[in-house]
Amino acid sequence: MLIKRLYSVFKNTFSDMDNLIAVCQITSTANKEKNYQMCKALITNAHKCGAKMVFMPESFDYIEEDKAKALEMAESLDGSLINSYKSLAKSLNIWLSLGGFHEKFSETKLRNTHLVINNKGEIAETYHKIHLYDVQIPSKNIQAIESSVVEAGTEISPPVKTPIGNVGLAICYDMRFSQMAIALAESGADILTYPSAFFFGTGAYHWEILLRARAVETQSYVIAAAQTGSHSSTRKSWGHSLVVDPLGTVIAQCSEEPGFVLAPIDLSLIKSIRQSMPLECHRRYDIYPKMISSTLCKKKSIEDFYEFKFGSSIVKGLQVFYKTQLCLAFTNIKCVLPGHVLVAPLRAVEKLTDLSKDEVGDLFLAVQKVQKIIEQVHNTDSSSIVIQDGQHAGQTIKHVHVHIIPRKCGDFLVNDDIYRKLQNEKDCVNPKRSDDEMAHEAELLRSFF
């Protein structure tokens, strides 16, 4: 009856909204088939309400207190349970976030795996929980050693491109580690998701405040589907599945009963908040270390719709052909000569002297690598490498950057005229290049990195 009531209310309220998501709340037991039928009913009804993506909680498959039985019940990602969810996603043309799946790993361990299934019934991304809940709080009757049965993950997965935005994957206890949230946001996440089975004893104190903090510090939506109620005589979950917007406001929340809530994801709100208060640009990585996973950075691709602050301007993702942890290389909107590209630190600082030691090292290693590729592409062995550091040096964009310009014999009658051309680049009569032209060049260059 509860599911039917929710369907009736939300169908009238949200049916015409774009980017609608559903956050589900269940009480899992050791009965895998019963759990699946409950989840299937929630997903089906959320789909009827217009949800494009449905988020399920940690341990959506089962909760079993006995370690030996829990290991025995675990399945692989190509097992019957996940195949059922794949078929469901495909039949409903909907995306699913399935957090905290007991994935079979070895005879003595399993993995706590968050997976996203797309609307074609394919696994779009997986993440293995990296922070394990080894905690003892006698006053709250909490004693958990997750590492006794779970093998910890070793990397942060890149955000997943979905119809509602770029979704960063985490699981439950991960919400206590702001470093991970910031790493995901700086790698392009619009939404952070924390499927959970949060203990009742700490829920009242920490659940909402932690999730709201992660939203505010990353200027992202936070989605947390949760287990609720008593799973056994010794295990009880807090519930209160919720959605937080980038301002830290709870915009949707379940109570303590199984069910789901709907919420719209407004990507324009994220963009507006990040532009009005650009936290990423204001972080002082010259003083404290940048919190980003090197494994995530290696896997992360640049989408055309991404935007990077460049002084008072914006560099579009379609222009970027190479990116490191601390800088990016991109095609130029006005070229002095063919092949003229720029390399700049991600952090918006005006002068070279404002960069940290790590940023300087990263920037010039990138310049060296880009120069080599540019000379190869343009069939030359010479380049002008130029930094206009400050207003009187000809700098017009107040964001330190390096010009890399491939040179050939006779490209200027007087070789040093190139510096006068750069000096007057802002007033150059050459037309600005189109997005298509810059994107085509960036696509060509990406293939060399």
Side-chain angles (χ1 to χ4, degrees), residues 94-105:
I94 200 168
W95 285 64
L96 301 177
S97 163
L98 305 175
F101 171 67
H102 296 84
E103 182 187 355
K104 192 173 185 64
F105 178 70

Side-chain angles (χ1 to χ4, degrees), residues 217-378:
E217 72 195 1
T218 63
Q219 300 172 310
S220 307
Y221 279 91
V222 167
I223 300 171
Q227 292 284 341
T228 190
S230 298
H231 310 283
S232 66
S233 60
T234 59
R235 177 74 181 272
K236 187 177 182 181
S237 293
W238 175 245
H240 298 276
S241 300
L242 54 74
V243 182
V244 187
D245 74 12
L247 291 169
T249 303
V250 177
I251 60 172
Q253 186 171 30
C254 291
S255 58
E256 298 178 359
E257 300 297 324
F260 68 87
V261 289
L262 298 173
I265 301 298
D266 182 1
L267 296 179
S268 66
L269 177 62
I270 300 172
K271 182 177 180 180
S272 173
I273 291 169
R274 291 179 178 178
Q275 285 182 344
S276 61
M277 188 182 293
L279 298 184
E280 183 173 357
C281 298
H282 294 164
R283 292 192 175 106
R284 294 295 304 275
Y285 293 133
D286 57 328
I287 297 174
Y288 46 76
K290 187 176 178 69
M291 295 183 287
I292 189 163
S293 162
S294 59
T295 54
L296 188 156
C297 190
K298 289 175 185 175
K299 294 172 70 175
K300 180 65 187 169
S301 60
I302 302 296
E303 301 291 348
D304 286 353
F305 57 85
Y306 287 179
E307 293 183 343
F308 300 90
K309 190 172 179 61
F310 182 47
S312 59
S313 303
I314 294 293
V315 172
K316 299 176 181 179
L318 60 85
Q319 296 174 252
V320 178
F321 57 85
Y322 178 61
K323 181 175 178 290
T324 70
Q325 289 189 28
L326 301 176
C327 72
L328 71 163
F330 50 96
T331 55
N332 198 358
I333 197 166
K334 280 194 171 185
C335 296
V336 169
L337 288 172
H340 179 182
V341 298
L342 304 176
V343 182
L346 287 167
R347 189 166 66 92
V349 297
E350 185 174 345
K351 296 289 297 296
L352 183 65
T353 51
D354 295 329
L355 295 176
S356 70
K357 183 186 297 184
D358 288 340
E359 286 173 320
V360 171
D362 191 75
L363 177 67
F364 282 99
L365 285 173
V367 167
Q368 186 182 55
K369 188 169 186 176
V370 171
Q371 178 189 356
K372 183 177 180 181
I373 297 300
I374 291 295
E375 288 183 357
Q376 180 182 343
V377 170
H378 290 273

